[in-house]
Amino acid sequence: MDGGHSHSGSRNSDSFVVKVAEEKQKWPVSSSQMVSHFATSGLSVAVATAFTHPLDVLKVRLQMQHVGQRGPLTGMGQVAVQVLKKEGPKALYLGLMPALIRSVLYGGLRLGLYEPSKYACNLAFGSTDILLKIASGAFAGAVATALTNPVEVLKVRLQMNANQRQGPMAEMRTIVSEEGIRALWKGVGPAMARAAALTASQLATYDETKQVLIRWTHLDEGFHLHLLSSTVAGTVSTLVTAPMDMIKTRLMLQRESKTVGNYKNGFHCAYQVMLKEGPRALYKG
């Protein structure tokens, strides 16, 4: 009997080891693939950032209009003209270096963490349906945002300060010396919420839009289908996350305005903005 139990236990132990070994072999991404994925993801986001950076500068300027008060808002075109006249074309590229650094790190981390997160969900729940994909994407985006928040704070500070004469590293040292190390994580809560909501809304909207277009139009899998689906997903995700983005900017720039300095956290900021500037102010920029 004891021998039987011994042989049985041995077989069970062997089968467990084989099963674990098989699970390890099933890991879908090798270390070299992860490095390659990280690099290509970061590079693609950095190239996109270089092209769209002027729009990001204008967005931040628009978000900081009439802080703590109601008033007629200046449109994007007018702000662009004002910036070009008063500060010159170079002003549209303020904060470009931190933006590129953040893009490489954030893009690489977010897209690089997505596959391992999805694999972990598959191991835990035995499925990778759309909800788990959304959860994996939201987690990857939130973690990447938390890790790169200091660079985002630096970028926003530089974008708002046309008279800045010192470089990014000197500005970061100034922030730390004057406001403390915690200042580099201002706005991290809304930033993480925005990243999670952005990824979730993009994935869900993209997938649904693609299915609707295939069902109701003559479009097949290909460039035009992906382009239309991406455009719809981008528009919806921007509308969903715009208030969080505005709150994040206000918190990161608290040093820049005396009237902004009384924001305690993201919820308090949202309440103050709606109370003093109106609900539409959450969609500035």
Side-chain angles (χ1 to χ4, degrees):
M1 288 293 288
D2 289 343
H5 280 302
S6 176
H7 287 303
S8 176
S10 177
R11 282 197 299 271
N12 287 340
S13 176
D14 290 343
S15 64
F16 175 76
V17 171
V18 171
K19 190 173 182 182
V20 169
E22 287 174 350
E23 288 293 341
K24 286 183 178 178
Q25 288 175 354
K26 286 178 185 176
W27 178 256
V29 185
S30 67
S31 58
S32 60
Q33 286 175 318
M34 284 183 73
V35 171
S36 174
H37 192 51
F38 182 96
T40 52
S41 301
L43 183 62
S44 63
V45 178
V47 171
T49 297
F51 279 101
T52 60
H53 190 74
L55 293 173
D56 193 53
V57 172
L58 295 176
K59 180 200 73 174
V60 170
R61 299 292 181 93
L62 288 164
Q63 288 173 334
M64 293 302 291
Q65 284 189 92
H66 301 300
V67 175
Q69 59 186 346
R70 296 171 189 260
L73 298 176
T74 306
M76 187 176 73
Q78 288 175 284
V79 170
V81 171
Q82 288 173 8
V83 170
L84 289 170
K85 279 184 177 180
K86 295 178 181 178
E87 304 169 36
K90 286 177 70 176
L92 293 174
Y93 285 91
L94 289 169
L96 178 61
M97 188 54 66
L100 290 174
I101 293 170
R102 182 192 178 276
S103 295
V104 172
L105 294 175
Y106 176 77
L109 284 167
R110 186 182 72 158
L111 299 176
L113 287 169
Y114 175 66
E115 286 296 333
S117 299
K118 195 170 69 171
Y119 178 72
C121 283
N122 189 29
L123 279 183
F125 303 104
S127 171
T128 53
D129 62 16
I130 186 64
L131 291 177
L132 288 175
K133 286 179 182 178
I134 289 171
S136 302
F139 172 78
V143 171
T145 297
L147 293 173
T148 58
N149 201 73
V151 193
E152 177 73 5
V153 170
L154 180 62
K155 181 201 78 169
V156 172
R157 294 287 181 95
L158 291 172
Q159 285 176 331
M160 276 300 295
N161 195 352
N163 300 317
Q164 183 69 36
R165 291 291 176 263
Q166 58 185 10
M169 290 308 297
E171 175 64 16
M172 182 167 281
R173 283 195 295 270
T174 301
I175 293 171
V176 173
S177 63
E178 292 181 0
E179 303 172 56
I181 193 74
R182 289 180 64 186
L184 296 176
W185 273 272
K186 282 184 176 179
V188 68
M192 290 177 70
R194 176 188 175 275
L198 185 76
T199 305
S201 57
Q202 277 180 341
L203 284 172
T205 310
Y206 177 83
D207 192 61
E208 287 301 313
T209 302
K210 204 164 84 164
Q211 296 303 319
V212 169
L213 287 172
I214 290 172
R215 193 179 303 120
W216 296 101
T217 69
H218 299 293
L219 289 172
D220 296 318
E221 278 288 341
F223 174 75
H224 294 98
L225 177 65
H226 292 296
L227 181 64
L228 282 172
S229 302
S230 300
T231 303
V232 174
T235 304
V236 171
S237 62
T238 299
L239 290 171
V240 169
T241 60
M244 290 173 259
D245 190 61
M246 205 279 284
I247 292 163
K248 171 198 72 123
T249 300
R250 289 288 179 90
L251 289 171
M252 289 179 175
L253 283 165
Q254 287 209 79
R255 189 190 67 176
E256 299 294 327
S257 173
K258 291 177 183 177
T259 54
V260 189
N262 57 357
Y263 295 153
K264 297 173 183 176
N265 52 50
F267 293 109
H268 184 247
C269 179
Y271 173 74
Q272 289 292 319
V273 168
M274 288 192 289
L275 185 68
K276 296 179 179 178
E277 303 171 44
R280 288 181 63 188
L282 292 172
Y283 282 89
K284 285 180 180 179

